[in-house]
Amino acid sequence: MEHLSDSDFTIDNLCREMAMSRTLFYVKLKSYTGKSPQDFIRIIRLERASSMLRSGRNVTEVAALTGFDNSKYFSTVFKKYFGVSPSKYQ
């Protein structure tokens, strides 16, 4: 969670912190969550973003705070996940 806003935080960084190889980490995470590491991180960021949006923060700020460098990409991914654009999310 401490790396949520760090867009440069990679799966390799996470694997090092977990003291696992990339392959082992992928297998374990997929078996526990049904998600790939990339999808898992994206979902955590999106769930956090939804909370921030509900608290009144603007889309550009939320995108940056949740590790999305590009607010247009953030909006696209957010809408795909939640079915509504972040600017209309409540």
Side-chain angles (χ1 to χ4, degrees):
M1 293 305 282
E2 71 185 76
H3 299 287
L4 185 65
S5 63
D6 184 358
S7 62
D8 294 326
F9 188 71
T10 66
I11 304 300
D12 290 331
N13 298 122
L14 185 54
C15 291
R16 274 192 295 280
E17 286 197 16
M18 299 297 294
M20 292 184 192
S21 71
R22 191 177 175 102
T23 303
L24 179 60
F25 182 71
Y26 180 92
V27 169
K28 287 193 175 280
L29 187 66
K30 184 84 170 175
S31 72
Y32 291 134
T33 67
K35 306 286 183 205
S36 71
Q38 183 104 11
D39 289 341
F40 185 74
I41 290 169
R42 186 178 303 113
I43 289 167
I44 290 171
R45 287 179 167 159
L46 289 170
E47 292 290 341
R48 178 76 174 137
S50 72
S51 174
M52 290 178 174
L53 289 167
R54 280 193 305 263
S55 73
R57 293 189 175 207
N58 73 52
V59 174
T60 304
E61 178 185 22
V62 169
L65 289 171
T66 54
F68 292 91
D69 290 335
N70 182 315
S71 59
K72 183 170 172 62
Y73 173 71
F74 166 72
S75 293
T76 301
V77 173
F78 189 95
K79 185 172 183 176
K80 184 176 181 180
Y81 185 72
F82 287 104
V84 62
S85 68
S87 60
K88 294 188 171 138
Y89 188 78
Q90 296 181 359

